[in-house]
């Protein structure tokens, strides 16, 4: 049977076309129920009588048909293993796919879980349930009708099956079909048509066995809410917005909430140099960080400047109506801003509509409620950019000291806060596993277990090397190959060898784990690895990019075992000039897996003289030449304070902190990896001019260096930033005899001026732009860590294809898809870095819990009201506030103590009496942890030396009660 | 034109059917009179002012915005109307556009194979363009969306499936039926900056506008055979004719107006004959138009706004 679907569509060029599609209706689509005696079932029954949901609303076995709005709003409920025997109509599936791809993905996962008994019924192609669009019927109405039609058909279809004598004799209650819909109109029509129907909320409440499921219901509106007055202006409709954009009355951009001030935010609009400032609750108009919003610019006379006040929302309670004085207070703040000097004013606007919400799930904690036994609570997200969220839960006592996840459902005009619902609990506060989970979630790191499908593409164990493998690969098992890595490393992806050739030259080989042999293009394993992009390292935890079997076993080049490798082999003369190079896949057997320290000991121990030691010494010598040559070319030596934690193996709590040590062997391995990367980059960019995966590091714009140049100038050094080479030379000259750490700090500052290095596809940029600024290399890529970086796998595939070692495939050369992968990799790398830092910060906090320590530090910057202090031992950076904020009681306290700091803008110094703070001056500070805010614990810096009476902490343990330490440390920032 | 081979005798036979006046003796009891009677009796039994039976079907090509198929005895025509957005001609900024295309299918006659039918097609296109040219005959303003910027352009694609004479009339009837059947998606315009506008189409496929077809002209071929004029010539009659006149008739306020004429065939015409031809054409056109509109309305009420169940010659 056939019917036609017609629709009109506008093409890009503005033409209007009538499009007609043939639509075939079938009579062989099964209903999927084991009760049915008529249908041809093309797969195993999905709707079985094994599962019965007990509902006080429908006291007989039933199947559930879902309306689209139920799926969209209540996906969290559906994900719970409660609903069984659910019929998912293709109409619903298509609508969900259209409206939200993330929910579609989640729904699909439920459907594919066969234990859940979700049956997809292809109602759009079933001859009895197809609904043709009627005249004067909207697309939505048609879909609703199709859903009702299918529900009705199912019910009567099952009735006829259950009328048989056999069934009646079995004495079972007849199974019915119920429709869940949150659309009142649809429900009314369904009832009129004789369909059993209920709202999702009523149904969930009627479930006898799962009383707690109610918490997960999406809250579009809270019941028996007193209809409060609207607190926000209404949002414009989509149509009005589109029209506004077209007429250029409105601007579109992503909203960024301010971290410091909850009443401020900004919107980045294309073609606008500065972000548009949004101030005040009404102007913010319910935008949440990340949302795509429509902004209306205010007239220039109403523009204002970003406030530099830190404004944190005070605790509020769920039933609290915003008090008059709070409103007053907010107004006052705005008034202050209005008077900002004209020069500082920036374009200011107000948000008039939301184009697309970017709501996700948020981590945070429940705010303790004042009222006992209430179900309404306020949720405080960990991310300060996110507003508090109202939720309803009956498990508040249980959740009180836990990190929980909450999602936003709606934000009605009359509610001060968005409404949301509880999703799940991550675990108790302060617990290492919980906190790690929070870090991963907040940085969007995919960290769930690898799915069965992904694991199915792993090689079967026990894995052996077949004779065919030997035939295809070069046998390097008898070479003296060894690997050098940090201690405790289990994913070893590189190994080295060096041997003397008869002609006096040296042969150096870099052997990289052949991950692309195991991960074949476009299978589920590959896709998962591409999505994850990189392995994420947290303190004491590693989130693998590929399953552990590969990362720690089959791919890892552990000592004494035969492994597949991708080898890059050079012939070098004694001066480290490359005479010849070749690439091939090989079988290697690493003689030894060493740590940096072990390798260093071997090199230094003159009594040793075996093959490995000899080759290490050769490598080390060559590496030094290579490094010098690189430096002469203008490569930068950058520094960032890095630390390692000694972690307790059981509690996972940090025991000790140490700064990372750099040994010769570190730089030895690094040099050869750089050489391999550059060699491979040259090769693949020659072979694939359009689609090679490369990495570039753009030269920063000159203005980026301003803080560095200024800071150095105060110290009497001139830093030239014209070229990398000049910068490198002038950095070398910044040495102060009395301050050994000075050069290091200058380099830390330089690092902050740099741009992010990014992956890209060679065809997308001009050759001149391939440059890697930091390494001073004209071309660069990542080849040496395929176990932990997906980019390296892509490079491996390109290289393998170019030397004929592996088969090619269509996607290999597809620029567009590769570019997309690169973008994802860049994002994942950035997030992985941030997650790593967040993890270090977390561990630093844990380390300082209950401790107070005096540490040597250096002043990194002198600011108007604070000193930025760096503690090299912990790689920590923090702010030592000199003046307290204007608002609040602290100001009074300070005036009492009469310690006044004068800021000299010319040479950036702070003076108090006869003590002067310059940048880079050594100081001693006392570190302690301020745990007053459980979510945002902060490290507090207090000055110890130089001693300023009335400001510094006393070095004696007893603090004079007469002189309260009037320091105020509001926040500490950590950047590394 | 499809060539029909006729012998002289056959031609004479046809000619006589049209014009020969024969004396028929009438006997009366009182006196004997012989009356001269005009025969007016064509080969298929029609008079000179009769059309052959027609079959009309609309909306059968689902891909087109409007379509019609007309079968006039052995003449078979299929017309599809496709729509497109275009920029109006700068000389007539408030007018939409119409473009005719005629395809003489080789199914109709083997002579059309290759470029064989192009002359005939060209002639049909010209006479249609001529008939539709006047803004009084076709209201081009209804096709305009934004004056000077955007308008509808209608492509009227005519496919000749079989040739049984009187192509002009059949083609114009089918074209008018197809235009009547045409549904344009409802378009609303929004003003952008600098006077540029953008179109928004309704997402409801049933939300359509129609084209005003009241004045759309019909072609009536008046064929001169011997001394007499007749309408709706068969292929055989066309061979016998020396000259024919195609009269295009447009209706306005229930009155037929002439919107164009066009001569075919090698012969010439006397002024009086020509006026007679035009008169005949106008009166025939009026009748045809009345019937056509009646039938189209009847068909529409039968089918309703929904798409008809596809039963028809294409299924």
């Amino acid at each position: 049977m056939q019917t036609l679907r017609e629709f009109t569509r506008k093409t890009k060029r503005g033409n209007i076309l009538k499009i007609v599609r043939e639509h075939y209706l079938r009579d062989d689509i099964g209903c999927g129920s084991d009760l049915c005696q008529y249908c041809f079932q093309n797969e195993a029954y999905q709707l079985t009588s094994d599962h019965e949901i007990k509902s006080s609303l429908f006291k007989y076995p039933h199947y559930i048909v879902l309306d689209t709005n139920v799926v969209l709003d209540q996906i969290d409920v559906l994900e719970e293993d409660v609903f069984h025997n659910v019929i998912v109509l293709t109409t619903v599936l298509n609508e969900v796919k259209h409206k939200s791809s993330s929910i579609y993905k989640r729904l699909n996962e439920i459907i594919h879980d066969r234990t859940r008994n979700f049956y997809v019924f292809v109602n759009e192609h079933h001859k009895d349930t197809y609904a043709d669009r009627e005249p004067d019927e909207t697309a939505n109405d048609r879909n609703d009708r199709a859903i009702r039609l299918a529900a009705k058909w199912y019910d009567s279809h099952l009735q006829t099956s259950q009328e048989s004598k056999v069934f009646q004799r079995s004495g079972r209650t007849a199974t019915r079909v119920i429709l869940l819909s949150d659309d009142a109109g649809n429900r009314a029509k369904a009832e009129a048509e004789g369909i059993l129907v209920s709202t999702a909320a009523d149904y969930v409440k009627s479930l006898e066995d799962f009383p707690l499921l109610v918490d997960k219901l999406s809250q579009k509106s809270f019941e028996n809410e007193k209809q409060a007055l609207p607190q926000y202006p209404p949002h414009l409709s989509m149509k009005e917005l589109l029209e506004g954009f077209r007429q250029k009355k409105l601007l579109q951009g992503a909203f960024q909430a301010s971290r410091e001030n909850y009443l401020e935010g900004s919107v980045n609009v294309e073609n606008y140099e500065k972000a548009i400032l949004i101030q005040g609750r009404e102007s913010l108009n319910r935008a949440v960080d990340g949302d795509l919003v429509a902004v209306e610019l205010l007239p220039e006379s109403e523009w204002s400047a970003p406030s530099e006040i830190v404004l944190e929302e005070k605790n509020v309670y769920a039933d609290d109506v915003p008090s008059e004085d709070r409103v007053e207070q907010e107004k006052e703040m705005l008034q202050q801003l209005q008077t900002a000097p004209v020069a500082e004013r920036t374009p200011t606007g107000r948000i008039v509509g939301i184009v697309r919400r970017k709501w996700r799930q948020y981590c945070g904690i429940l705010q303790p409620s004042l009222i006992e036994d209430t179900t309404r609570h306020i949720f405080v997200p960990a991310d300060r950019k996110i507003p508090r969220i109202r939720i309803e839960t009956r498990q508040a006592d249980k959740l009180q000291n836990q990190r929980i996840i909450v999602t936003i459902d709606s934000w009605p005009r009359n509610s001060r806060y968005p409404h949301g619902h509880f999703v799940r609990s991550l675990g108790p506060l302060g617990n290492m596993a919980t906190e790690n989970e929070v870090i991963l979630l907040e940085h969007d790191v995919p960290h769930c277990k690898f799915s069965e499908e992904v694991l199915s593409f792993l090689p079967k164990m026990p894995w052996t090397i077949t004779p065919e493998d030997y035939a295809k690969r070069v046998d390097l098992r008898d070479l003296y190959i060894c690997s050098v890595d940090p201690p405790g490393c289990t994913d070893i992806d590189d190994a080295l060898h060096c041997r003397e050739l008869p002609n006096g030259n040296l042969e150096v080989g870099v052997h990289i784990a052949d991950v692309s042999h195991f991960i074949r293009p476009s299978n589920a394993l590959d896709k998962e690895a591409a999505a994850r992009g990189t392995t994420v390292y947290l303190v004491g935890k590693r989130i693998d990019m590929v399953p552990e079997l590969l990362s720690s076993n089959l791919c890892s080049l552990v000592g004494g075992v035969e492994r597949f490798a991708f080898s890059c082999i050079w012939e070098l003369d004694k001066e480290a000039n490359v005479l010849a190079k070749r690439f091939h896949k090989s079988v290697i057997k690493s003689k030894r897996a060493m740590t940096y320290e072990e390798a260093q000991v071997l090199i230094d121990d003159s009594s040793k003289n075996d093959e490995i030691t000899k080759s290490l010494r050769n490598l080390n010598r060559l590496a030094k030449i290579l490094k010098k040559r690189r430096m002469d070319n203008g490569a930068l030596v950058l520094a960032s304070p890095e630390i390692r934690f000694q972690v307790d193996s059981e509690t996972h709590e940090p025991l000790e902190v140490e700064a990372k040590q750099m040994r010769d062997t570190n730089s030895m391995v690094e040099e050869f990896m750089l050489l391999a990367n550059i060699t491979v980059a040259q090769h693949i960019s020659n072979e694939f001019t359009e689609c090679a995966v490369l990495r570039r590091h753009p030269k920063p714009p000159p203005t980026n260096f301003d803080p560095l140049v200024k800071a150095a100038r105060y110290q009497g050094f001139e830093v030239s930033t014209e070229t990398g080479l000049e910068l490198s030379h002038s950095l070398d000259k910044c040495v102060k005899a009395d301050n050994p750490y000075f050069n290091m700090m200058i380099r830390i500052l330089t690092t902050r001026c740099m741009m992010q290095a990014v992956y890209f596809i060679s065809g997308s940029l001009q050759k001149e732009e391939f440059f890697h600024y930091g390494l001073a290399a004209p071309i660069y890529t990542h080849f040496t860590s395929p176990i932990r970086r997906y980019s390296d796998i892509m490079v491996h595939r390109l290289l393998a294809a170019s030397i004929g070692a592996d088969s090619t495939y269509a996607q290999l050369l597809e620029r567009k898809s590769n570019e997309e992968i690169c973008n994802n990799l860049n994002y994942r790398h950035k997030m992985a870095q941030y997650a790593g830092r967040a993890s270090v910060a977390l561990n630093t906090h844990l380390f300082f819990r209950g401790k107070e320590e005096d540490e040597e530090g250096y002043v990194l910057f002198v600011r108007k009201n604070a000193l930025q202090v760096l503690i090299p031992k912990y790689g920590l950076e923090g702010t030592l506030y000199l003046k307290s904020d204007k608002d609040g009681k602290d100001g009074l306290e300070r005036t009492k103590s009469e310690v006044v700091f004068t800021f000299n803008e010319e040479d950036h110094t702070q003076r108090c009496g006869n003590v002067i703070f310059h940048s880079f001056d050594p100081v001693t500070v006392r570190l302690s942890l301020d745990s007053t805010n459980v979510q945002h614990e902060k490290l507090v810096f207090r000055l110890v030396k130089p001693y300023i009476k009335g400001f510094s902490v006393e070095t004696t343990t007893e603090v004079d009660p007469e002189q309260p330490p009037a320091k105020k440390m509001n926040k500490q920032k950590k950047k590394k | 034109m499809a060539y029909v081979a006729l012998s002289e005798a056959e031609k004479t036979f046809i000619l006589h059917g049209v014009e020969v006046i024969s004396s028929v003796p009438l006997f009366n009891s009182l006196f004997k009179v012989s009356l001269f009677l005009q025969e007016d009796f064509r080969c298929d039994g029609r008079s000179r002012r009769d059309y052959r039976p027609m079959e009309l079907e609309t909306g059968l090509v689902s891909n087109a915005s409007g379509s019609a198929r007309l079968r006039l005895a052995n003449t078979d025509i299929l017309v599809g109307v496709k729509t497109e957005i275009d920029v109006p001609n700068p000389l007539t900024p408030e007018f939409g556009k119409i473009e005719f295309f005629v395809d003489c299918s080789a199914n109709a006659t083997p002579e059309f194979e290759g470029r064989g039918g192009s002359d005939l097609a060209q002639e049909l296109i010209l006479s249609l363009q001529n008939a539709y040219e006047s803004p009084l005959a076709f209201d081009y303003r209804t096709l305009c969306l934004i004056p000077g910027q955007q308008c509808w352009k209608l492509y009227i694609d005519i496919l000749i499936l079989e040739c049984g004479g009187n192509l002009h009339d059949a083609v114009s009837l089918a074209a008018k039926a197809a235009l009547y059947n045409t549904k344009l998606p409802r378009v609303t315009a929004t003003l952008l900056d600098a006077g540029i506008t953008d179109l928004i189409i309704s997402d409801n496929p049933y939300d359509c506008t129609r084209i005003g077809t009241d004045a759309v002209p019909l072609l009536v071929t008046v064929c001169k055979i011997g001394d007499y004029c007749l309408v709706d010539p068969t292929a055989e009659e066309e061979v016998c004719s020396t000259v024919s006149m195609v009269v295009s008739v447009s209706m306005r306020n229930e009155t037929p107006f002439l919107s164009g004429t066009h001569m075919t065939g090698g012969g010439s015409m006397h002024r009086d004959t020509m006026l007679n031809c035009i008169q005949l054409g106008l009166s025939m056109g009026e009748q045809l138009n009345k019937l056509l509109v009646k039938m189209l309305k009847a068909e529409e009420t039968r089918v309703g706004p929904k798409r008809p169940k596809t039963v028809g010659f294409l299924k």
Side-chain angles (χ1 to χ4, degrees), chain A residues 2-10 14-16 18 20 132-137 139 243 246-248, chain B residues 62-65 83-85 185 187 190-193 198-206 305-307:
Chain A
Q2 180 205 6
T3 179
L4 293 167
R5 287 187 305 129
E6 265 176 38
F7 48 94
T8 34
R9 178 157 291 168
K10 205 173 140 187
N15 211 348
I16 292 174
K18 179 180 174 186
V20 180
D132 202 4
R133 189 162 169 181
E134 301 282 350
D136 307 321
E137 190 177 44
E243 192 134 341
R246 245 185 233 117
Q247 296 172 6
K248 307 244 165 75
Chain B
S62 54
N63 306 51
S65 300
T83 56
E84 220 176 65
I85 301 283
V187 173
T190 48
L191 198 67
L192 291 183
D193 251 5
D198 195 18
L199 301 178
I200 299 169
I201 48 168
S202 153
D203 74 326
N204 184 352
Y206 292 100
K306 277 193 79 172
R307 204 174 33 244

Side-chain angles (χ1 to χ4, degrees), chain B residues 11-63:
Chain B
K11 281 188 181 172
T12 318
F13 182 74
I14 290 172
L15 194 75
H16 284 181
V18 175
E19 69 170 3
V20 163
I21 301 164
S22 53
S23 61
V24 180
L26 270 180
F27 297 97
N28 195 293
S29 54
L30 292 171
F31 45 89
K32 186 177 141 197
V33 196
S34 118
L35 266 181
F36 292 101
L37 275 187
Q38 190 178 314
E39 204 155 284
D40 198 5
F41 196 71
R42 288 152 75 176
C43 295
D44 42 14
R46 291 182 289 158
S47 78
R48 288 193 292 262
R49 294 171 63 94
D50 278 341
Y51 266 81
R52 291 168 288 175
M54 280 182 233
E55 247 173 63
L56 181 67
E57 195 180 341
T58 56
L60 67 169
V61 183
S62 54
N63 306 51

Side-chain angles (χ1 to χ4, degrees), chain A residues 638-910:
Chain A
L638 300 174
S640 56
E642 268 190 85
I643 48 167
R644 281 183 69 84
F645 283 92
Q646 297 267 324
V647 178
D648 187 308
S649 55
E650 276 176 24
T651 60
H652 295 293
E653 298 214 342
L655 298 175
E656 205 163 330
V657 185
E658 55 187 43
K660 256 189 197 163
Q661 275 195 346
M662 279 297 274
R663 293 191 179 80
D664 263 6
T665 41
N666 287 50
S667 101
M668 174 187 89
V669 174
E670 195 186 313
E671 279 314 316
F672 283 103
M673 293 309 133
L674 288 176
L675 185 61
N677 284 338
I678 293 172
T679 315
V680 171
Q682 281 162 349
H683 181 82
I684 58 169
S685 78
N686 285 340
E687 294 285 329
F688 304 97
T689 45
E690 283 296 304
C691 59
V693 178
L694 300 175
R695 189 168 174 83
R696 73 195 179 98
H697 183 208
K699 183 178 180 343
T703 49
N704 270 25
F705 288 112
D706 285 352
L708 169 72
V709 175
K710 267 189 202 157
R713 199 169 286 154
Y714 300 137
Q715 300 297 317
F717 293 100
E718 210 44 58
V719 176
S720 162
T721 58
E722 283 293 301
T723 63
L725 190 59
E726 280 179 40
L727 177 63
S728 163
H729 284 315
S730 48
L731 286 182
D732 289 342
K733 283 187 205 124
C734 294
V735 183
K736 266 186 157 182
D738 58 335
N739 189 346
Y741 202 66
F742 176 65
N743 187 268
M744 182 71 171
M745 279 195 289
I746 283 281
R747 287 186 196 279
I748 290 173
L749 286 186
T750 316
T751 313
R752 296 208 183 144
C753 305
M754 292 296 150
M755 312 273 285
Q756 278 267 347
V758 287
Y759 297 110
F760 69 103
I761 300 293
S762 57
S764 60
L765 288 173
Q766 292 297 312
K767 244 196 169 115
E768 297 76 51
E769 291 173 283
F770 291 5
F771 195 70
H772 196 291
Y773 182 74
L775 298 172
I779 190 163
Y780 191 67
T781 192
H782 272 162
F783 167 72
T784 51
S785 301
I787 300 181
R788 59 189 178 87
R789 289 190 303 231
Y790 189 76
S791 51
D792 302 51
I793 297 183
M794 294 167 77
V795 171
H796 274 229
R797 286 182 184 153
L798 287 167
L799 186 63
S802 76
I803 59 169
D806 204 344
S807 53
T808 55
Y809 56 101
Q811 233 203 342
L812 184 72
L813 301 180
E814 236 177 67
R815 213 171 98 184
K816 191 115 191 275
S817 64
N818 283 344
E819 242 169 40
E820 273 163 24
I821 297 177
C822 278
N823 288 341
N824 180 44
L825 292 184
N826 287 331
Y827 170 71
R828 293 288 180 207
H829 270 264
K830 197 170 72 192
M831 289 329 253
Q833 253 176 9
Y834 292 167
R837 286 177 202 166
S839 175
V840 170
L842 167 73
N843 278 277
T844 319
H845 288 163
L846 287 179
F847 182 71
F848 278 103
R849 185 167 285 168
K851 270 186 223 170
E852 269 202 359
E853 271 189 41
D854 289 357
E855 287 298 339
E856 293 283 322
Y858 295 94
V859 177
L860 206 52
F861 286 112
V862 180
R863 302 231 186 265
K864 267 187 194 166
N865 64 341
L867 300 176
Q868 205 93 12
V869 178
L870 178 83
I871 314 251
K873 183 178 171 190
Y874 298 119
L876 255 181
E877 195 187 318
T879 316
L880 178 64
Y881 284 90
L882 301 177
K883 287 173 188 163
S884 50
D885 292 322
K886 281 183 219 158
D887 59 337
K889 54 192 186 297
D890 311 309
L892 293 170
E893 234 176 283
R894 189 181 56 78
T895 41
K896 235 188 262 166
S897 66
E898 283 174 13
V899 180
V900 178
F901 287 89
T902 4
F903 179 64
N904 186 336
E905 227 164 289
E906 260 166 47
D907 55 355
H908 273 248
T909 54
Q910 289 275 9

